Amino acid sequence: MSKATNAADKQPAAPKRGNRPGEAAPVLGFTAAGFRRKLGRWYREHARELPWRGVDDPYATWLSEIMLQQTRVATVIGRYREFLLRFPTIHDLAAADEADVLALWSGLGYYGRARMLLRGAQFVECEMQGKLPRTAVELRTLPGVGEYTAAAIASIAFGESAAVLDGNVERVLLRLLGEAEEKSARARARLVATAQMLTPPASRGRAAKGNPPGDHNQAMMELGATLCLPRSPLCLQCPVMDLCRTRGEHATVARARMQSRTVSHLLALRKRGVATEVLLERRPRDAALMAGMLELPALPLDATEGREPALRLRHAITNTNYYVQIFTERVILEGQMAEPALEQSLLEKIPAAKADLRWTPTTKLVQLPLTGLARKTLQRLKVMAVPPFKIGSER
DNA sequence: AATTCGTGGCC
DNA sequence: TGGCCAAGAAT
């Protein structure tokens, strides 16, 4: 089954049932209760064991949801554990330095998330007695907490009947209802309304029937992440295949074309006593991209002509593939050997204008807010150790 | 409403 | 030296 289909292939609407005229949400064609029951049974059987599941700590739920924004589960697992070891409570996080938080976030991307999480923790600590708000409406006021994340925390941590609509749920609903993807606020509102219709009410007490809203939300996402896949959905294993109008196809909006760029960076090393130091450049504090973080100095492309890079790698950032070449230079300190002629050193090619350069002992690298590219480069070239949470997480 | 923000892994 | 997209949010 191919993903992209013509919207005209849509099947006719199913008979009306369980919706009022004038309501924003589309017709389901089945009962919400029946859908929940099938989904819930499947989820209880097939849910992955993830470190943030079954954890009765709203702060941990908050952290996991921030980390999971646009980031794969497999990538988050190790980082989530590391982060909680270092900052076990909101109180600990609120007292942290931003650079230390960014260092833990290094390589995860979307660094604004880390800054907003820190600001949120400081706000909760100072203004809310260290307790997260318990409703989606209030959670929404925290920096970095949008509509999805507010509903996720409210439902998972506090049992509120607030539907989540992430990329997984959107895909599941579009296929289930036989609709085409549409990037308008109105289309999105319709899907939110649909998701809310399917979400169970808040449970009261332990005698409550049905799934807790938090489990239902996670089940919807789990379905999208493990069966209702973007390309080759596993419909035959799907617990709601009999309710689905498309069995795994939906029309999608065309994505923007990828760009590609070639860039060069310098890995300069020097010995200082027993220590090895590497030359790092700090990005401007007001930079739009990765503000204040550390990276290897950039080299003009024409400065490296005729030289062979120590490493070539591809580094994709959103819509751009960066084809990166790393050139190494070993600097000999005075008194040890003759200095290389400066005019042939790549160090001289670093644009001096706004360069904020520093020599940094390689043993300190782990604690610094490196960009993902700098971290990846330093690890590949064995200047920096691969931290424990990476090992074994790539399988 | 349309852009921008990072990265990794898979095909 | 492609393309795709993931438990989105801010501007």
Side-chain angles (χ1 to χ4, degrees):
Chain A
M1 297 179 227
S2 70
K3 173 179 70 173
T5 61
N6 194 307
D9 292 345
K10 263 194 315 187
Q11 296 179 14
K16 289 193 177 197
R17 183 181 296 176
N19 74 307
R20 289 188 296 275
E23 203 167 312
V27 183
L28 289 180
F30 50 81
T31 67
F35 178 87
R36 281 173 210 149
R37 200 159 41 238
K38 290 178 177 186
L39 182 67
R41 182 161 44 235
W42 170 79
Y43 182 68
R44 286 187 290 276
E45 175 86 7
H46 292 96
R48 292 170 293 180
E49 283 192 25
L50 300 174
W52 47 86
R53 287 193 172 152
V55 173
D56 186 19
D57 176 4
Y59 164 63
T61 303
W62 179 24
L63 173 66
S64 71
E65 290 302 339
I66 298 298
M67 280 192 169
L68 284 163
Q69 289 169 4
Q70 295 289 283
T71 308
R72 294 177 187 282
V73 166
T75 305
V76 169
I77 291 176
R79 298 309 193 97
Y80 168 84
R81 292 205 178 100
E82 285 290 308
F83 200 99
L84 280 183
L85 283 176
R86 180 72 190 282
F87 303 117
T89 68
I90 290 183
H91 183 70
D92 299 312
L93 178 57
D97 286 336
E98 184 181 281
D100 292 333
V101 178
L102 285 173
L104 268 183
W105 212 272
S106 169
L108 262 184
Y110 290 122
Y111 300 100
R113 294 183 295 176
R115 295 193 182 87
M116 290 186 285
L117 179 66
L118 174 56
R119 280 200 283 125
Q122 291 165 344
F123 177 79
V124 169
E125 177 74 4
C126 297
E127 309 291 332
M128 315 191 79
Q129 293 77 50
K131 301 287 186 191
L132 268 184
R134 301 174 61 90
T135 68
V137 169
E138 295 170 284
L139 286 160
R140 184 69 180 77
T141 66
L142 296 177
V145 176
E147 198 179 352
Y148 161 81
T149 305
I153 300 172
S155 63
I156 295 171
F158 303 115
E160 181 176 332
S161 176
V164 297
L165 184 68
D166 73 331
N168 287 310
V169 178
E170 179 179 10
R171 187 173 58 254
V172 167
L173 291 179
L174 290 178
R175 288 174 172 172
L176 193 66
L177 303 178
E179 297 188 357
E181 181 183 38
E182 195 186 324
K183 296 291 182 191
S184 71
R186 193 173 54 79
R188 187 179 171 75
R190 272 168 60 85
L191 284 181
V192 170
T194 305
Q196 189 63 53
M197 287 172 55
L198 294 175
T199 304
S203 48
R204 300 161 183 270
R206 59 184 56 205
K209 303 281 187 194
N211 314 321
D215 284 356
H216 171 85
N217 277 336
Q218 294 188 76
M220 290 290 285
M221 295 188 280
E222 189 88 351
L223 188 64
T226 65
L227 296 183
C228 197
L229 303 170
R231 290 176 211 177
S232 303
L234 307 172
C235 298
L236 294 182
Q237 301 175 53
C238 180
V240 292
M241 181 176 71
D242 58 330
L243 307 180
C244 184
R245 290 188 191 159
T246 68
R247 308 276 162 90
E249 299 182 23
H250 72 295
T252 55
V253 173
R255 305 291 187 261
R257 286 267 301 270
M258 292 284 283
Q259 314 276 318
S260 63
R261 287 186 55 191
T262 302
V263 294
S264 293
H265 289 276
L266 172 64
L267 173 64
L269 294 169
R270 74 177 188 187
K271 275 290 198 186
R272 189 163 212 185
V274 294
T276 300
E277 296 180 336
V278 58
L279 188 62
L280 296 178
E281 179 173 350
R282 180 181 291 276
R283 297 178 60 82
R285 296 208 168 278
D286 58 352
L289 192 68
M290 299 172 278
M293 299 189 70
L294 300 168
E295 61 187 354
L296 297 178
L299 290 172
L301 288 181
D302 59 10
T304 59
E305 280 179 29
R307 296 182 186 245
E308 193 58 25
L311 178 67
R312 296 175 200 270
L313 50 85
R314 185 178 72 151
H315 189 73
I317 293 186
T318 311
N319 202 27
T320 306
N321 273 325
Y322 288 91
Y323 293 92
V324 185
Q325 303 183 88
I326 309 295
F327 297 87
T328 60
E329 188 83 53
R330 283 182 171 70
V331 178
I332 311 298
L333 287 184
E334 287 180 61
Q336 298 194 8
M337 282 181 70
E339 297 229 21
L342 276 183
E343 59 270 21
Q344 68 186 52
S345 166
L346 286 177
L347 282 172
E348 295 299 302
K349 310 288 191 182
I350 300 172
K354 50 190 173 182
D356 181 3
L357 300 168
R358 69 197 54 197
W359 287 99
T360 307
T362 57
T363 52
K364 302 287 188 190
L365 289 172
V366 203
Q367 309 164 33
L368 297 176
L370 302 171
T371 67
L373 175 57
R375 173 165 295 248
K376 184 159 73 176
T377 303
L378 291 164
Q379 289 173 352
R380 295 263 178 101
L381 291 173
K382 310 291 184 193
V383 177
M384 175 184 180
V386 177
F389 60 77
K390 282 287 276 188
I391 299 175
S393 73
E394 299 168 357
R395 209 165 356 110

